[in-house]
């Protein structure tokens, strides 16, 4: 029997679901058959679409708890159900802690930890009343699993988000499954702001074992899996979507031949050659 991800008839909300990673998630859920409401503070230039269907955009400031509660009540009133919540909205500017005001760090933590908690609580109020329950997916980051210089408050918030998801998975079982996607680097329409031109993006990609950055749709496909019945026994998990992780720095600093010998003049290449990566686009 072929395994297929079928979300037909299900209703999904994707926060920050109109650009970048969020647009890839929205497109993947649409492609799997779900009705998708993408909420964000600003309207998109183009609403994500896939499989001949278009997501619905709703303006929402996730920092406004009253507005968030009203939004999810509206979803229940208009659609009769809520099956999936993807807490994707988040982000941070690059700023060293010594150059940050406490208020700036607090805003980063609010956006990346408190607002997913607020949305999840509001979503639970809908899902808990359904016989079928629901699935909540947190979009985490490898920044929450290792030192994150320049984005320390963001990394701390993402670490807290993973812990929050594990506790929710226990408290809200068995009706609601809660999982985290822990992302590495993803190529979006804003990648040039972080990594520079195409040469810079390719150079950064070569630091990843799979030799490229992820495409937003690849994140979306992982979300669709976690939202589906194929992941019906998966809860409290953190799925790493990082292309194999990061090469330990000491391997490149060592004078030993990391391919098996000792005393080589230089370290082994980061990774063997790979085919050119696919071009990732945002929908």
């Amino acid at each position: 029997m072929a395994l297929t991800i079928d979300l037909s008839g299900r209703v999904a909300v994707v926060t920050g679901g109109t650009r970048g990673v969020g647009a890839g998630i929205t497109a993947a859920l649409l492609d799997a058959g779900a009705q998708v409401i993408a909420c964000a503070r600003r309207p998109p230039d183009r609403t994500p679409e896939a499989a001949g269907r278009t997501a619905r955009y709703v303006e929402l400031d996730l920092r406004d708890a009253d507005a968030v509660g009203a939004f999810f009540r509206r979803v229940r009133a208009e659609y009769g159900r809520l099956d999936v919540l993807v807490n994707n909205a988040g982000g941070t500017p690059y700023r060293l802690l010594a150059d940050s005001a406490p208020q700036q760090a607090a805003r980063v933590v609010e956006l990346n930890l408190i607002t997913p908690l607020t949305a999840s609580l509001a979503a639970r109020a809908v899902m808990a009343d359904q016989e079928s329950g629901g699935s909540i997916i947190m979009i985490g980051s490898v920044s929450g699993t290792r030192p994150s210089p320049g984005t320390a408050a963001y990394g701390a918030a993402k670490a807290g988000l993973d812990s929050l998801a594990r506790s929710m998975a226990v408290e809200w079982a068995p009706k609601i499954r809660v999982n985290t996607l822990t992302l590495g680097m993803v190529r979006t329409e804003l990648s040039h702001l972080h990594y520079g031109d195409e040469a810079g993006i390719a150079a950064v990609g070569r630091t990843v074992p799979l030799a490229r950055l992820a495409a937003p749709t690849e994140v979306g496909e992982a979300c669709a899996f976690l939202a589906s019945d194929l992941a019906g026994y998966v809860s409290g998990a953190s799925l790493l979507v990082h292309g194999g992780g990061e090469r330990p720095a000491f391997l490149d600093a060592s004078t030993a031949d990391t391919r098996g010998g000792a005393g080589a003049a230089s370290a082994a290449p980061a990774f063997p050659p790979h085919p050119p990566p696919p071009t990732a686009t945002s929908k």
Side-chain angles (χ1 to χ4, degrees), residues 75-94:
V75 169
R76 175 166 53 186
E78 294 186 12
Y79 294 88
R81 60 187 303 110
L82 173 65
D83 302 284
V84 181
L85 167 64
V86 182
N87 282 305
N88 166 75
T92 183
Y94 180 89

Side-chain angles (χ1 to χ4, degrees), residues 36-57:
V36 184
I37 303 101
C39 56
R41 284 187 297 164
R42 294 183 295 275
D45 297 328
R46 178 184 177 189
T47 305
E49 57 185 28
R53 297 182 301 114
T54 303
R56 176 183 177 186
Y57 165 72

